[in-house]
Amino acid sequence: MNDGPARNTSNKTAGLAAQAGAKAERKLKARRHAAHGVWFGLGMMGLIGWSVAIPTLLGAALGLWLDKRHASAHSWTLALLVAGLAVGCMNAWHWVAKEDKAMRDEQDADDE
């Protein structure tokens, strides 16, 4: 008969310990992900934008230089602008895919 209250107290202690452990785990997870706020997202958008804009502008500048130096029936400016845009888009796609994979790997590690 003395086993009943002792077992009840033991269950309450175990439940309280589990709650405290879960709360501590949530706090640690929030601290690890604190850098991924609004400013991080805006910075990432800017980084992706520049990764497309710079190759496009470099291609256009090289095309203008080639058009001035070597006249031809076809426009080097247009061709290299499109090539720069394609390179920039592939660069941005690679960057986003890498970040997405890193976030998924981190989420899978947290779930385990």
Side-chain angles (χ1 to χ4, degrees):
M1 289 199 146
N2 289 342
D3 234 9
R7 185 177 297 164
N8 191 16
T9 304
S10 169
N11 288 340
K12 285 182 183 178
T13 304
L16 183 61
Q19 286 177 350
K23 188 174 181 178
E25 183 64 34
R26 283 193 307 267
K27 282 184 179 182
L28 288 173
K29 186 177 178 182
R31 285 184 184 156
R32 281 192 303 254
H33 299 296
H36 295 173
V38 174
W39 292 112
F40 178 79
L42 290 173
M44 187 65 70
M45 285 183 357
L47 181 68
I48 292 168
W50 281 110
S51 72
V52 173
I54 288 178
T56 304
L57 293 174
L58 288 175
L62 181 61
L64 284 170
W65 182 80
L66 283 173
D67 279 340
K68 287 181 183 178
R69 300 283 186 253
H70 307 286
S72 75
H74 301 290
S75 172
W76 284 107
T77 304
L78 184 59
L80 291 177
L81 181 123
V82 171
L85 181 63
V87 167
C89 288
M90 288 189 317
N91 187 22
W93 176 72
H94 173 67
W95 184 268
V96 170
K98 185 176 86 170
E99 288 296 317
D100 184 52
K101 184 181 181 315
M103 287 184 344
R104 288 182 192 272
D105 290 346
E106 187 176 310
Q107 187 178 25
D108 289 344
D110 286 343
D111 289 344
E112 292 175 356

